[in-house]
Amino acid sequence: MRLIVPLLVAILLAACGGGQAAPTDTPSPTPSPTPTLSPSPSPAPTPSPSPTQAPTPAPTLEPTPPPSGPVIDLTGSHTEQGGFLAVRLRDAPAVVDPTVVLAGVTYTMLPAADVWYTYIGLPAWFAIGGYPMDVTAGGQVLVSGWLEVSGGGFAFESITLPPASSDLLTDTARIEEERQRVAGILAGFTPERYWSGAWITPAAGVVSDQFGTQRSINGGEYFAHTGLDIANAEGTPIYAAASGVVALSEELFLYGNAVILDHGAGVFSGYNHMTSLAVSAGSFVNQGDLIGHMGETGLVTGPHVHWEAIVHGVRVDPALWTQGGVEP
Ligand SMILES: [Zn+2]
């Protein structure tokens, strides 16, 4: 949370009302004094000339004008590698179909009561540094902000898989088939937001590997771990972390028996390596509903659930979604 306030200040400072594009080549992330919207009341105490004198009447000020122009609100965002942004456009009543542009990608915003919003995933490999972020509509920039992305602090580890498991990695045709199957599911977009509030952790157990860990399997190249692993006995129940529609429930190659939930607004979650599946594709599940049981199917070293959170196709740390709601 401590990142949010300075970020918001930076965003608000960079905001430009009136529909003109702010220069994005020389953004100024340096916090300057909070903009004052009305004459400063200057509350410095006036030395009382006499203790018996009646208090000086407060000077009459002009009514404080309300903030004008649209603003970007990132409350609840996680601005590190593997994090995600909850982006709302506020105070923009006449705007139609705004979009957010960040790092060359355009995100469609969705309407809610008095606000436009979207969620943006920051992949584990997202380069640390500053990025301009614009909200545009009708070909014009409404608001420009500046986003500082910090490091995820990911650990490195080497994993040794037994041949029965590592042999799976030699079947590149089936791996590619699975990649396309999953990518096709995650490319779906449901505008309706099915969940609210914080997510729950989907299974009891110990976290056996964090999201983002740079892992080398059997001495190979390092890749970021795309989910969070929770290990427990085979058969441990696995529950939906948040409400949504079952977008996939089937046996995959490396993921084993897998469920993918579509939570709407471009957000999905995935549950993998299960021994059995308890839901069918197309059905709706509420947060906490049973979706399957822990197992060791696919590419594994033991029974666990590999839990993923996916935002517009980008894997992010699922544990962040349990830290609080990110309502529009
Ligand atoms: Zn995993």
Side-chain angles (χ1 to χ4, degrees):
M1 286 300 290
R2 58 189 184 281
L3 285 173
I4 304 309
V5 171
L7 179 70
L8 267 174
V9 170
I11 294 284
L12 289 170
L13 284 175
C16 67
Q20 284 297 314
T24 55
D25 52 342
T26 56
S28 171
T30 308
S32 45
T34 305
T36 309
L37 297 172
S38 60
S40 170
S42 183
T46 309
S48 290
S50 155
T52 60
Q53 187 175 346
T56 308
T60 305
L61 293 177
E62 293 296 316
T64 303
S68 61
V71 294
I72 301 173
D73 174 3
L74 297 181
T75 303
S77 296
H78 300 271
T79 57
E80 67 270 24
Q81 293 172 316
F84 69 90
L85 309 178
V87 186
R88 300 93 165 170
L89 176 67
R90 300 199 188 278
D91 301 322
V95 170
V96 177
D97 296 338
T99 59
V100 181
V101 183
L102 175 68
V105 181
T106 299
Y107 301 87
T108 300
M109 302 192 88
L110 297 166
D114 300 328
V115 65
W116 292 88
Y117 74 101
T118 191
Y119 302 104
I120 297 176
L122 302 174
W125 47 261
F126 205 75
I128 296 168
Y131 296 83
M133 183 166 70
D134 295 334
V135 175
T136 68
Q140 282 202 315
V141 177
L142 298 174
V143 198
S144 288
W146 186 252
L147 178 71
E148 289 289 340
V149 175
S150 56
F154 305 127
F156 284 77
E157 71 176 7
S158 295
I159 294 175
T160 302
L161 289 179
S165 198
S166 62
D167 283 354
L168 299 178
L169 294 173
T170 63
D171 196 338
T172 54
R174 288 195 69 183
I175 291 172
E176 176 59 16
E177 181 187 344
E178 170 173 333
R179 191 193 65 76
Q180 290 187 16
R181 170 77 179 129
V182 172
I185 295 290
L186 299 179
F189 181 74
T190 305
E192 186 177 352
R193 200 172 70 101
Y194 293 129
W195 93 100
S196 62
W199 292 13
I200 61 170
T201 301
V206 297
V207 173
S208 55
D209 204 353
Q210 299 283 355
F211 171 88
T213 306
Q214 298 289 322
R215 305 199 304 185
S216 164
I217 295 176
N218 292 356
E221 199 177 338
Y222 283 92
F223 290 100
H225 186 215
T226 59
L228 181 148
D229 291 346
I230 302 168
N232 205 334
E234 181 155 333
T236 300
I238 296 173
Y239 306 103
S243 300
V245 171
V246 180
L248 176 146
S249 180
E250 63 192 46
E251 183 177 9
L252 298 173
F253 184 55
L254 298 181
Y255 277 134
N257 288 317
V259 165
I260 297 176
L261 300 181
D262 179 358
H263 303 294
V267 179
F268 293 80
S269 62
Y271 313 80
N272 304 282
H273 310 305
M274 291 187 273
T275 187
S276 64
L277 302 170
V279 290
S280 304
S283 57
F284 188 89
V285 294
N286 288 303
Q287 183 179 45
D289 283 354
L290 180 74
I291 57 172
H293 293 90
M294 196 176 288
E296 48 184 330
T297 54
L299 185 72
V300 295
T301 57
H304 74 284
V305 59
H306 170 88
W307 177 34
E308 293 189 343
I310 307 103
V311 184
H312 293 295
V314 172
R315 266 88 173 174
V316 301
D317 186 351
L320 297 176
W321 293 84
T322 69
Q323 294 183 8
V326 280
E327 314 312 315

